[in-house]
Every structure is written in structure tokens, then in C-alpha cells.
Amino acid sequence: MHDLFCLRRLLPSRLAAFLVAGLLAFSLSGCATRAATGTPVRLDDTPRIAVMSAFEPELTLLLAQLQNPARHRINGIDFTTGTLQGKPAVLFLSGISMVNASMSTQLVLDRFNIHGIVFSGIAGGVDPALHIGDVSVPAQWGQYLEVLMARETAPGKFTIPPRMEAQTMAPFGMLHPRPVETRTAASPAPLRKFWFEVDPRMLATARSLGALALESCNAGVCLTHKPQLLVGGNGVSGQAFVDNAAFREYTFKTFGANVLDMETAAVGMVAYSNGIPYIAFRSLSDLAGGGEGANEMLTFMNIAADNSAKVLLAFLLAWTP
């Protein structure tokens, strides 16, 4: 604005007034247009599949396979476009935690032309039948830490407020999980929902992969069994790193979960709200407190991350959007 008034002093009065008025009108018109539409500008219009991981080791193998990469930075997040397994894709890190996953998922949907979301990463194993290195592809995901914290009315006895009993699930002490309220463009009325189902066609493609050669060793660290691929069942997510045997047992009993992590259910909720198909591949890096010794995540993280990425690559090769 200061420059406009300097221009008015330097130019003949009529010309200056004309230019100033025109520039102001253009500027205000642009602001009004942006305010009216509220639509973020897309970085390109190529239909792409969004390939997500939470943190860097999970995305390393996938980035190495990406052809013709081009990087875009939005709000500090790097989005790398290119071709993965012959499919136009955009790869990025969601960041660890539910809030980061929600925010970055909506960001990629706003700024790119996304027709599907796939997530690759590690997780804590909940089902006692699964082992470190196995890859789980659940059919649905829920938020186990969307909870009501009940009042303790006697030692070890917790009571939830009246008329809220029907909204909660089996508790763990004072923690009573419950559905989360969500909306979609097609159904703007609030809907309480716990499970967010993955896309059935994507799940069918994952089932068609059969037995894959998954890694048992990495950098001199080896597993004592051959990793397996399991498609179906449940996964749960929440804002906690779980390393507790009692809570692991509760999670399996209550939700029938194969695995738990800190992002996928948030991605599923955003995908549901936007009407975008999604699926997640999670490999066990640890047993969420169920192991005999200390938590194993740092020991087996690289094996798990690579196994998840290899299943995702096989999926993309077989997937027809």
C-alpha cells in the first residue's frame, strides 16, 4: 500500500489515480475470489494414488523405487510425485500421531488429484498368533483412545455419566472407548462411527497377492520365523505408544485387533469423510508389551518397514484404479 501512494506522488495525478484504483480493485477482487471459493490450488491435476508412511524409515524403500521424482513442499511437508509400479503417485510422510496423520491426509487431498490412499508402516502386534515381521492388512480400523474417562465412585469402580452408557464399549479401568462423530459431503448430519472400513476392492486385491517372499534379516539382525502376510481382521489406532502386556491383552479381547498403531484410523476417518478409497499395510516391529524382554521395535524396525513396503509394492503392481 505504501508503494501505491509513492507511485501516486511520482506520476501525473490522473494517471496515478487511475493506476492506483485499478491495482486496488485487482487486489481486492483477488482476495474476494479466494475468500469466496476457499479452494486450495492443486499442484497438478494428474490422478494419483497417495502413498503414506509415518516416519522416514518406513518410506525409504518406496522412495528408492519412485521414478521421475519431483518434490513439492507444503506447510513443511515434502510431497514427492512420480511413478511407482507404473502408477502415478505422490509419496509423503504423515508424521507420527493421529493429529499429524489427519492433517497431512487432508492436505494431500486438497492439493493433489487423489483417487486412493495407501499407508505403509510398522505397528505393534496385538493378536498373539502374529509374529514380528508379519504384515497385517486389516479390513477396518477404529480409534481405541477415543474415550470417556469415567469417575471413580469406589476403589476400582468407575461410573460413567447417565445416558452415556450406550455410547461406550468394554472399558479398561476408567477408559471407556466410544465411537467418534463424523460427517461426509453426502451425509452432513453427524454420524457416530467406530470402524472405518478399507476399500473392498483394494482389500480383494491384497487378498489376491498370495504368499510373498518377506524379509527375515536386515543388517545382521534376523527373525526366528518366516514372516507371513495376513489380510483381513481389525486394526486400531491411538495417540499412544503401547508397551503394556495387560493393555495389549485388553485390546485383542475387546476389538479383536491384529495390530495397533498411531495413525491409520485417522487416515481412514479423513478418507471416509472425503469419499476416497484407502487401505493400510502394517508390519509388526514389536509386540506392544507382549514380548518376554524389552520392547523390540528398535531392533526389528527396519525388517518390518521393508516388509510392509514390499507388500505395498506388490499391491500397487496388481491394483487397477
Side-chain angles (χ1 to χ4, degrees):
M1 186 64 73
H2 172 75
D3 293 338
L4 292 178
F5 285 103
C6 289
L7 177 65
R8 186 168 184 173
R9 288 197 299 271
L10 293 173
L11 294 175
S13 59
R14 287 187 179 180
L15 178 58
F18 175 80
L19 289 174
V20 169
L23 288 170
L24 282 173
F26 177 81
S27 176
L28 291 174
S29 174
C31 290
T33 300
R34 289 191 296 274
T37 64
T39 303
V41 177
R42 277 186 177 168
L43 295 183
D44 70 40
D45 288 320
T46 302
R48 298 185 185 278
I49 191 163
V51 180
M52 305 176 60
S53 291
F55 71 125
E56 191 171 357
E58 297 174 328
L59 201 64
T60 301
L61 181 60
L62 298 173
L63 277 173
Q65 298 293 321
L66 187 67
Q67 296 180 329
N68 303 315
R71 192 175 71 175
H72 313 268
R73 179 165 289 179
I74 313 169
N75 295 352
I77 301 175
D78 287 333
F79 295 87
T80 307
T81 58
T83 303
L84 190 64
Q85 298 292 72
K87 310 292 193 300
V90 53
L91 278 59
F92 65 102
L93 296 176
S94 68
I96 296 170
S97 90
M98 303 285 279
V99 174
N100 280 332
S102 299
M103 184 170 58
S104 58
T105 303
Q106 189 61 58
L107 187 59
V108 78
L109 295 180
D110 288 342
R111 303 304 294 273
F112 295 88
N113 185 5
I114 301 300
H115 59 73
I117 301 170
V118 293
F119 202 113
S120 177
I122 64 175
V126 175
D127 185 343
L130 298 182
H131 302 87
I132 291 175
D134 290 348
V135 178
S136 175
V137 190
Q140 58 185 2
W141 289 83
Q143 301 182 41
Y144 72 92
L145 281 183
E146 181 74 24
V147 297
L148 181 154
M149 296 189 181
R151 181 189 298 254
E152 189 169 16
T153 52
K157 178 177 173 58
F158 300 93
T159 304
I160 61 179
R163 297 185 299 278
M164 297 187 72
E165 294 89 345
Q167 300 178 13
T168 63
M169 304 171 73
F172 183 78
M174 71 173 181
L175 304 179
H176 289 252
R178 57 183 185 167
V180 63
E181 186 176 287
T182 186
R183 295 173 174 85
T184 70
S187 303
L191 171 69
R192 298 191 65 81
K193 186 175 174 65
F194 185 84
W195 295 110
F196 292 88
E197 297 81 6
V198 308
D199 179 70
R201 288 186 60 245
M202 286 181 159
L203 192 68
T205 299
R207 290 189 193 279
S208 73
L209 298 179
L212 297 175
L214 300 177
E215 296 295 330
S216 298
C217 297
N218 184 292
V221 175
C222 293
L223 301 170
T224 57
H225 75 286
K226 183 179 179 181
Q228 305 289 321
L229 171 62
L230 175 67
V231 181
N234 302 330
V236 291
S237 308
Q239 297 271 70
F241 183 92
V242 177
D243 191 31
N244 182 276
F247 193 81
R248 175 183 190 256
E249 182 178 350
Y250 158 78
T251 305
F252 178 65
K253 180 179 178 181
T254 304
F255 307 109
N258 298 334
V259 294
L260 57 79
D261 66 26
M262 299 177 67
E263 297 87 21
T264 304
V267 175
M269 181 176 175
V270 175
Y272 172 80
S273 181
N274 286 273
I276 302 294
Y278 89 102
I279 194 168
F281 305 88
R282 291 287 189 167
S283 182
L284 279 63
S285 61
D286 62 278
L287 300 179
E292 295 180 359
N295 187 276
E296 310 94 329
M297 188 196 82
L298 294 180
T299 303
F300 298 111
M301 177 177 67
N302 291 329
I303 293 176
D306 285 354
N307 279 345
S308 178
K310 286 185 175 184
V311 175
L312 185 147
L313 289 171
F315 166 84
L316 282 182
L317 197 60
W319 169 242
T320 302

